[in-house]
Amino acid sequence: MTKPASPRVDNGIAAKDRKKLAEGLSALLADSYTLYLKTHAFHWNVTGPMFNSLHAMFMTQYNELWMALDEIAERIRALDHFAPGSGAQFAKLASVKEESGVPDWRGMVGQLVEGHDTCARTARRVFRVAEAANDQPTCDLLTVRLKAHEKTAWMLRALLE
């Protein structure tokens, strides 16, 4: 990601640390976007006895993810870096696996659990970088994301028990 032309940033976070933070947040953005797409596709395509509850649950989840994407991208910009925004960039950066087929409802739920756990691991990895850089706003953002991903994974996991 190329640094944008702007006045020099002097927010107390070293340029090299802002670069590391932007790279980590870009990975989280890619994971979150991939999970958003997967969740939205599952919302459209879920079938079976759990249709009504999963259709509504997936909609709540993809809406929450959609709002989080903007927060993550805006934090990258506040750190004076460009946020990735193409499918090719997201595919290169994401750890969440895409789904090109249509699994049954149990497969959907299992994949979403895995996706939320993956996002949580990515956020936790970036949190360590943010903490070392004394970047409280990024730590705050990541804490919110961790809480959301861990709660959603728990709720989805409960469906499979």
Side-chain angles (χ1 to χ4, degrees), residues 34 37-39 41-42 44-45 96-104 107-108 111-112:
T34 304
L37 287 173
K38 182 183 282 194
T39 305
F42 289 173
W44 292 327
N45 294 308
V96 173
K97 293 178 175 60
E98 290 184 320
E99 172 58 65
S100 58
V102 180
D104 66 9
M108 290 177 178
Q111 284 191 40
L112 294 180

Side-chain angles (χ1 to χ4, degrees), residues 71-111:
E71 293 294 322
I72 298 165
E74 287 179 356
R75 186 63 195 150
I76 294 167
R77 294 297 294 130
L79 293 167
D80 201 31
H81 288 270
F82 285 120
S86 72
Q89 288 174 305
F90 289 148
K92 182 179 176 183
L93 293 168
S95 300
V96 173
K97 293 178 175 60
E98 290 184 320
E99 172 58 65
S100 58
V102 180
D104 66 9
W105 75 267
R106 285 183 180 277
M108 290 177 178
V109 170
Q111 284 191 40

Side-chain angles (χ1 to χ4, degrees), residues 79-158:
L79 293 167
D80 201 31
H81 288 270
F82 285 120
S86 72
Q89 288 174 305
F90 289 148
K92 182 179 176 183
L93 293 168
S95 300
V96 173
K97 293 178 175 60
E98 290 184 320
E99 172 58 65
S100 58
V102 180
D104 66 9
W105 75 267
R106 285 183 180 277
M108 290 177 178
V109 170
Q111 284 191 40
L112 294 180
V113 167
E114 184 178 317
H116 283 282
D117 282 347
T118 298
C119 285
R121 286 191 305 273
T122 301
R124 194 162 266 110
R125 178 177 47 84
V126 181
F127 188 92
R128 288 189 291 273
V129 176
E131 197 170 40
N134 199 28
D135 180 2
Q136 294 86 1
T138 299
C139 286
D140 182 56
L141 169 68
L142 295 168
T143 299
V144 171
R145 297 311 314 139
L146 280 162
K147 182 178 176 185
H149 289 299
E150 290 178 355
K151 181 177 181 179
T152 303
W154 157 64
M155 294 176 96
L156 289 165
R157 201 175 276 113

